[in-house]
Amino acid sequence: MVRRTPPDRLEKLVAVAAAVFVEHGFQRAQMDDVAEALGVAKGTVYRSVESKESLLVAVCTYADDLGSLPRDGALPTVAIDQLSARLSHQLGAAVSGLLLTKIDQDLPRQDLGPEVEALVLDLYLMMSAHRTRIMVLDRCAADLPELGGDWYQSGRYVVVDLWSAYLRSRADELPSNFDVPAVARTIVELVTLWAVKMPWDPAPRPYPADMGPLCAAMIRNLVLGEQK
């Protein structure tokens, strides 16, 4: 009898592998862990993916869009350095689209509070849409020099730098002692925590289903103070 691969095998493989990489990081994660969590033999995993490196690339490429997985039952082989450069560029481009037009001094200004809140909410929604790949990259980049350099410098820190540029463009509306780099870093870390990391909490507490508006309001208060 011919053994047929279940049509959802790749979807389950990618979802399970994401959880394994988040739990263990890249170095400690083993293909045995993935196979055990999937409930199959390790050889079955290798029929769908060539290596642990290729599996990591597949998770970061497809985990937030399982409908785009290949239909032939096999995951493509892509080098990790190619993955890092591509995803860091995508994240930087997405955030640039949110912030760069707001930095131009020639454009009409909105009130700072509502504008900050809207920008934070847009960033939150963007990061939520990519929360699995961001979480996996953040967890695994320290183990992989070819991944970590691009991810931290061209991925996360480009977001911090763009927020710094935006806040400096509104410096005349901020206190003279306002610490732009510290607040920009805090904004990115808070949005990452709420949009990406909290859903992975192994012992979650009940929170509102949509945390975006609450996160945006919190950061507005951070920038302007609660009384403004």
Side-chain angles (χ1 to χ4, degrees):
M1 180 181 292
V2 176
R3 297 175 62 187
R4 295 185 177 181
T5 301
D8 61 348
R9 170 61 55 80
L10 286 188
E11 287 90 339
K12 289 181 178 179
L13 173 58
V14 167
V16 163
V20 170
F21 284 129
V22 168
E23 180 179 0
H24 297 295
F26 181 78
Q27 296 294 354
R28 291 179 57 240
Q30 302 297 323
M31 296 296 266
D32 288 308
D33 299 324
V34 176
E36 180 179 355
L38 196 58
V40 300
K42 184 166 65 172
T44 301
V45 174
Y46 278 112
R47 284 204 293 270
S48 296
V49 64
E50 181 181 274
S51 64
K52 184 170 74 168
E53 290 78 4
S54 294
L55 185 55
L56 176 66
V57 171
V59 167
C60 293
T61 303
Y62 299 111
D64 294 301
D65 183 16
L66 294 175
S68 66
L69 277 163
R71 295 295 117 190
D72 61 2
L75 295 170
T77 300
V78 179
I80 287 176
D81 57 349
Q82 293 176 298
L83 165 77
S84 176
R86 183 174 74 240
L87 293 184
S88 295
H89 172 76
Q90 289 174 354
L91 178 61
V95 178
S96 296
L98 301 177
L99 287 169
L100 283 181
T101 58
K102 302 297 184 181
I103 297 172
D104 190 337
Q105 294 285 339
D106 295 330
L107 293 175
R109 289 188 178 187
Q110 300 178 26
D111 289 341
L112 182 59
E115 186 167 272
V116 165
E117 205 163 342
L119 288 171
V120 171
L121 184 57
D122 284 344
L123 178 62
Y124 178 95
L125 294 173
M126 186 273 289
M127 296 187 81
S128 293
H130 301 281
R131 64 167 44 127
T132 302
R133 72 184 65 182
I134 292 173
M135 186 68 181
V136 170
L137 283 168
D138 202 62
R139 184 73 172 87
C140 295
D143 292 341
L144 297 163
E146 63 269 48
L147 183 64
D150 277 332
W151 174 243
Y152 289 117
Q153 296 302 322
S154 303
R156 289 181 65 183
Y157 288 121
V158 74
V159 186
V160 175
D161 291 343
L162 283 165
W163 269 104
S164 294
Y166 170 72
L167 293 171
R168 289 190 182 100
S169 76
R170 308 295 295 263
D172 58 328
E173 301 169 73
L174 300 170
S176 58
N177 62 346
F178 191 88
D179 191 334
V180 166
V183 173
R185 178 67 184 270
T186 301
I187 289 170
V188 174
E189 295 300 333
L190 280 173
V191 175
T192 302
L193 174 66
W194 286 46
V196 176
K197 295 186 176 181
M198 285 175 65
W200 288 91
D201 190 335
R205 292 186 176 186
Y207 292 103
D210 183 4
M211 302 284 283
L214 187 57
C215 182
M218 177 188 297
I219 290 173
R220 172 183 173 151
N221 289 340
L222 172 69
V223 173
L224 293 182
E226 294 186 7
Q227 303 304 314
K228 295 186 179 181

